[in-house]
Amino acid sequence: EILKDVTVSGKELAELVTLCDGSLGNASHLASRLQIWCDLCNSLEKIASGDAGIVYELASKLAKERDELRLNLQLMRIFARKKMYNTEKSLPKFKWATALTNFISAEGLIFDRNLNASHVLTWTLLQLHSSPALDKFFTLNDNEHLISKMTV
């Protein structure tokens, strides 16, 4: 009954189930965001593969869509968790686990502490960049938090 208004194809249905994250309550809203989900996944994949050029563009775009920012951060967390679970090698698994933690922290910094969304998102997305020189600088160690790496 919850999915009666949702019209998606087989592949889209699989993606929708992933997006619902165990809760079908907002399935119809998420169904309308499938293209945004795909675009966001592609952008995160590019960043993780070393394309730092889109970091600022994506961070700025997401920050401007303030009404949708919580949902976009949720989508980013879902994607990072999916990548973490589906990755066999430990370094990429660690990278996606760190990204997941950073996406969670970013939401708190933006909405609870009222930090600049573009700035927080830029730092969060730079974590995914795969440059070895940047990995050491951006990767969080033990009890470090995302905010400890940022200049506010």
Side-chain angles (χ1 to χ4, degrees):
E1 174 129 349
I2 293 173
L3 296 176
K4 68 180 178 185
D5 297 329
V6 177
T7 54
V8 292
S9 69
K11 183 180 180 200
E12 290 173 331
L13 185 59
E15 289 296 319
L16 183 59
V17 168
T18 300
L19 291 180
C20 286
D21 201 27
S23 172
L24 294 177
N26 58 353
S28 59
H29 178 66
L30 289 172
S32 67
R33 300 187 52 82
L34 283 174
Q35 185 58 49
I36 293 168
W37 161 255
C38 291
D39 293 344
L40 194 55
C41 291
N42 289 334
S43 295
L44 292 175
E45 282 284 1
K46 286 179 184 176
I47 292 168
S49 298
D51 186 355
I54 64 170
V55 167
Y56 300 103
E57 177 186 329
L58 181 60
S60 176
K61 178 184 170 198
L62 292 171
K64 287 177 186 173
E65 299 168 353
R66 185 74 177 194
D67 294 341
E68 298 292 324
L69 187 53
R70 274 194 202 271
L71 183 57
N72 285 331
L73 283 165
Q74 176 188 2
L75 296 177
M76 293 165 73
R77 287 192 312 267
I78 292 168
F79 181 73
R81 187 174 56 241
K82 180 180 172 183
K83 291 294 288 184
M84 180 185 70
Y85 285 141
N86 295 331
T87 301
E88 296 296 323
K89 296 181 180 177
S90 30
L91 188 58
K93 187 177 284 283
F94 175 74
K95 180 173 267 205
W96 286 109
T98 303
L100 175 59
T101 302
N102 286 346
F103 293 144
I104 293 167
S105 296
E107 184 173 356
L109 293 172
I110 293 167
F111 292 103
D112 298 337
R113 293 178 123 182
N114 203 28
L115 293 180
N116 181 288
S118 182
H119 189 68
V120 171
L121 290 168
T122 298
W123 276 88
T124 303
L125 293 170
L126 279 173
Q127 167 60 43
L128 285 176
H129 188 269
S130 63
S131 167
L134 290 178
D135 280 349
K136 184 174 181 183
F137 181 72
F138 288 116
T139 301
L140 301 179
N141 300 311
D142 298 326
N143 292 323
E144 285 184 301
H145 298 285
L146 181 63
I147 197 167
S148 70
K149 294 286 188 177
M150 297 172 53
T151 305
V152 181

